Amino acid sequence: SLEGWSDIGENTYEIDQNVEGEWIDENSPSTEGYAMWKQNNYAEYNGATVVKYYSTLAEALSGVTSGNTIKPLRTLTDYSSSTPTLATEKTITLDLDGKTVITSKTITNNGTLTMTGTGTLAYNQSEGLGAIANYNEANFTLSGGNITSTRSGVVNVNSTGTIRVQGGTITAEVNGIYEEENANGEIIVTGGTIEGTARGLYACGNSEITLSNNAYIKSNISAAINIPGSNVVTISGGTYEGVSEVALATYGTGNVTVTGGTFKQGANGYSITLRGDSEVSYGGTAIGTSVYIAENAKVNIIGGTLRNEDGGTDNRDTVLVRDSAKVTITGGNISKTASESDRYAVYSMETADVTI
């Protein structure tokens, strides 16, 4: 018997490539037929028992029974013409099991999908949303494994569901996590690494965002956390790094509460920029350079550390407030260690309102 290949019946076969051709029934030589065999690339598990094999990820997500687990059987390139889609009523686990799956299609998640294992799901297209897209009330959890993408990593499209990152890594050439304008769900990051060349977390909608514990979010060009939407954001821990520019940027109508976490400045930017009509309560740790507060932002600095240090391309005031921004400082440690004598711990200009 040959493992790894199957016909439309129950028999399995294994050969080196896809094969189609004539066959003869050995028990009845006068009976001839024609068959196409397809490779078994994924297995569906109920506990430790294999219950079914599939050729493509699209077939696997379509055929899997809710509660079961899909595992790739080998490292492979899956360029199926069909879009992998998980139905609303299904709750499944995709265990990468140490394998790499390269795909040209975004996984459309309408159900509840959890990714585990130590392998890699690699989205490899110059267009499209990215590796995984949540729709409707979909929930996605990354607890292990790696997502790499030439676009975004995980996207909330019009979802009222949840993106949850507990472990693993997301590495994307655009956004690590991207929330579109019509999304109104939750984004919860308690661990793992999220890295986007443009932005680590880009939230344009209305979702509640919670960042804590060992979360690590990084951007190589723009902001590690970029909030242009009307999100409610709570940050109580984690590390956020803008390699080139900003660790945290708000310029929408969101409400942001920071009680912990470390925000690292990039070579050309600020640790934190707070703009638009956002309302921010800040008590974290910003290291490297300053905080820029402008436009109509309302900011309460209630604690934490704001420290401006030499080392960037230029040295700035630790807290710079301008335009019609309003800032109230009731706690925290704000210091200036930059060498320029004309720089200040807090500097207010134009019609800004600062109360200390």
Side-chain angles (χ1 to χ4, degrees), residues 38-45 50-73 76 78 80 82-87 89-96 101 107-108 112-113 121:
K38 59 184 180 181
Q39 191 170 23
N40 294 328
N41 291 318
Y42 304 89
E44 176 183 349
Y45 286 80
V50 176
V51 295
K52 198 171 183 179
Y53 292 102
Y54 302 95
S55 177
T56 67
L57 186 57
E59 292 177 0
L61 295 189
S62 175
V64 64
T65 298
S66 184
N68 285 354
T69 297
I70 296 293
K71 293 183 181 181
L73 297 175
L76 61 101
D78 187 341
S80 168
S82 300
T83 298
T85 302
L86 186 67
E89 69 277 4
K90 290 185 178 181
T91 298
I92 73 155
T93 298
L94 176 60
D95 181 353
L96 295 171
V101 176
I107 294 176
T108 297
T112 299
L113 173 64
L121 175 69

Side-chain angles (χ1 to χ4, degrees), residues 81-264:
S81 60
S82 300
T83 298
T85 302
L86 186 67
T88 303
E89 69 277 4
K90 290 185 178 181
T91 298
I92 73 155
T93 298
L94 176 60
D95 181 353
L96 295 171
D97 197 30
K99 313 298 192 304
T100 295
V101 176
I102 301 171
T103 177
S104 61
K105 297 290 185 180
T106 300
I107 294 176
T108 297
N109 181 28
N110 296 298
T112 299
L113 173 64
T114 299
M115 182 177 294
T116 64
T118 58
T120 299
L121 175 69
Y123 178 81
N124 188 24
Q125 288 292 297
S126 60
E127 298 180 352
L129 288 170
I132 298 171
N134 275 1
Y135 292 84
N136 303 312
E137 299 178 1
N139 299 297
F140 172 73
T141 298
L142 178 65
S143 62
N146 309 300
I147 295 173
T148 65
S149 175
T150 53
R151 298 292 295 165
S152 292
V154 184
V155 181
N156 258 356
V157 180
N158 60 353
S159 176
T160 58
T162 302
I163 294 175
R164 181 178 282 105
V165 179
Q166 301 170 335
T169 65
I170 299 173
T171 306
E173 292 185 15
V174 184
N175 307 301
I177 294 177
Y178 174 40
E179 176 197 64
E180 293 193 346
E181 292 182 4
N182 294 325
N184 187 23
E186 285 188 276
I187 299 172
I188 302 170
V189 183
T190 58
T193 296
I194 301 168
E195 180 177 347
T197 299
R199 308 166 193 89
L201 169 59
Y202 188 34
C204 301
N206 305 291
S207 293
E208 294 186 11
I209 300 173
T210 303
L211 311 176
S212 64
N213 297 340
N214 297 315
Y216 180 73
I217 301 178
K218 175 182 177 182
S219 166
N220 293 315
I221 294 177
S222 181
I225 304 169
N226 196 318
I227 312 292
S230 56
N231 307 82
V232 176
V233 183
T234 302
I235 303 174
S236 60
T239 301
Y240 311 99
E241 182 175 4
V243 174
S244 179
E245 292 193 1
V246 185
L248 169 63
T250 68
Y251 50 96
T253 59
N255 188 300
V256 180
T257 300
V258 179
T259 59
T262 299
F263 302 84
K264 296 182 178 181

Side-chain angles (χ1 to χ4, degrees), residues 249-296:
T250 68
Y251 50 96
T253 59
N255 188 300
V256 180
T257 300
V258 179
T259 59
T262 299
F263 302 84
K264 296 182 178 181
Q265 163 248 351
N268 303 308
Y270 295 86
S271 292
I272 299 171
T273 63
L274 309 174
R275 299 163 50 201
D277 295 301
S278 56
E279 297 188 10
V280 180
S281 176
Y282 180 82
T285 300
I287 298 175
T289 184
S290 53
V291 177
Y292 178 81
I293 304 170
E295 298 173 7
N296 298 308

